[in-house]
Structure formats: structure tokens, C-alpha cells
Amino acid sequence: MNRRTFIATTSAVLLAGCSSDGDDTGSTTTGTEQSTTTQNSGEMTGTTQTDTTTGDATTGETTADETTDETTTSDSSTTTGETRTVAFGESASVSDGLDVAVTEADASDSYDHGGTTAESSDGNTFLLVTFETTNTAQEAKSLPEGAMASVQANGEQYDVAEAAAENWQQFVSSSVNSGGSATTTVAFEVPEAVVSSFGTSVQLSYTDSGAEQVVRWNME
């Protein structure tokens, strides 16, 4: 088994997302239709009584105002995503008190898991990446649900190898006690050329408050 260890340096990149106008348009349209319906109802039931017509019209104006307030609240709660690039071996915070680092990356033609050994296909190799989580919070912490790891190279994305999928899911769902840490090594099957390719990076993506967050460790 041949292993080659790679160390990366990094630069920081920030990308800002933007909020969508589509939801605003939908909310405004719905509010207008509700207001019109209420006013029409008032005119039909209050044809012979002036005070009934006036009351219904007032109700219709109130409904329109409430719809506008709801739309404003939706805008103020919109969050933007972030992409961070950190040095290979350095950690990045993914939640209060929980940090993640990529500490090692080796190339190998095989991957041992659960008492069995998986072999990479011809022309490919396994990139074995070690992740470490550290918990400095006062309570047990785990990675955000649904957190995904991948290797990015030459415009392509390589997900966790099938042989390592269960191992990765266990790592994501397992809690790290206060003051503790945990490590795991997962495999990504990539073309052999990717290992030495300039710009190859290991990426962790997860969702926080409805926005996708990305951490990248560059291998150069």
C-alpha cells in the first residue's frame, strides 16, 4: 500500500448569498386577493345598510395591513450562506463550541472498514481523509444533521466512497462530550491525477438557520 501525505495552505474566501424575491411576490399577491375577497363580501351582504358596508370595508383594510407585516418579517429573517477556506490542519467552527479540522490526507489503493478491505478501481485511488472534531462547549455536541464531506478537484465533486458512507454517518450523528474530541478517517475514490492536482480541496457542507455553510481545506 503506497501512502502519500499532503499538507495544504489556505486563503480565506467569503461568498455572500442573496435573498429571493420570489417569496415576496407570492406573499403580496395572496394578501391582495384576500383583501379583495373581503371587500366584495361586504358589498354583497351590506347593500341595504350603510353601517354594515363600512364595517366590512374596514375589515378588508386591516387584512391587507397584516399581510404586509408578515412579508416584512419574512425578509428580515432571511440568512445568507458563507464559504470559508482554512489552512490544512486548522479548525473551523461549525456551531457554538464545536470545531472541525482536516488533519491528514493520504492516497491509498485500498480502504479498510468494518473488518473488510475495499480496493479502488483501475485508474483510481482512495484519498483517505482524517477529520477531527473538538468540543469546547459545556455540553455534548455533534455535527449538524446532514453534514456532507466531499473532495473538489478540476471542477468535479467526489463524494464519500460507498465503502465509507456508514462510517461517515456515524461520525456525523455521534455526540462529542464537553472538553472531548473525536476523529474518523473516510475514503473518497478519485482519479489518480486528482491527488497531485493543484487546487484539490476537502469540503464540508452543512445547513445553519436555513442557509448552506461551506468549509474548505485546500491541498496544494
Side-chain angles (χ1 to χ4, degrees):
M1 176 188 305
N2 295 322
R3 291 178 174 270
R4 302 185 290 280
T5 304
F6 301 85
I7 302 177
T9 58
T10 63
S11 60
V13 178
L14 294 176
L15 298 177
C18 61
S19 57
S20 172
D21 291 332
D23 291 340
D24 295 344
T25 304
S27 299
T28 303
T29 301
T30 301
T32 302
E33 291 174 354
Q34 292 176 346
S35 175
T36 303
T37 301
T38 305
Q39 291 175 348
N40 288 344
S41 176
E43 291 174 358
M44 291 175 64
T45 57
T47 303
T48 57
Q49 295 184 13
T50 303
D51 56 342
T52 302
T53 303
T54 302
D56 289 343
T58 302
T59 302
E61 292 173 358
T62 302
T63 302
D65 291 340
E66 290 175 353
T67 303
T68 302
D69 292 341
E70 291 174 359
T71 302
T72 302
T73 301
S74 176
D75 286 343
S76 63
S77 64
T78 301
T79 58
T80 57
E82 180 183 17
T83 297
R84 292 169 287 164
T85 302
V86 297
F88 193 84
E90 292 188 359
S91 61
S93 175
V94 295
S95 65
D96 292 339
L98 187 67
D99 296 337
V100 181
V102 170
T103 60
E104 189 175 355
D106 298 326
S108 175
D109 56 7
S110 63
Y111 171 65
D112 297 327
H113 64 100
T116 63
T117 300
E119 301 289 340
S120 60
S121 57
D122 291 342
N124 287 352
T125 188
F126 284 124
L127 187 61
L128 307 181
V129 179
T130 300
F131 292 85
E132 180 178 18
T133 55
T134 304
N135 183 9
T136 60
Q138 299 300 312
E139 58 184 1
K141 292 275 188 175
S142 60
L143 287 171
E145 183 179 359
M148 299 176 62
S150 62
V151 169
Q152 310 284 324
N154 302 323
E156 300 291 339
Q157 174 173 306
Y158 303 93
D159 296 326
V160 174
E162 183 178 354
E166 183 177 354
N167 186 25
W168 174 252
Q169 291 304 320
Q170 289 177 347
F171 182 66
V172 171
S173 60
S174 297
S175 296
V176 181
N177 291 330
S178 175
S181 62
T183 61
T184 192
T185 299
V186 293
F188 303 85
E189 187 169 4
V190 301
E192 291 178 349
V194 164
V195 175
S196 58
S197 175
F198 180 82
T200 297
S201 64
V202 177
Q203 178 172 296
L204 175 71
S205 59
Y206 61 97
T207 301
D208 181 24
S209 300
E212 184 180 25
Q213 307 293 324
V214 175
V215 182
R216 286 188 184 138
W217 292 268
N218 283 342
M219 300 170 54
E220 297 180 354

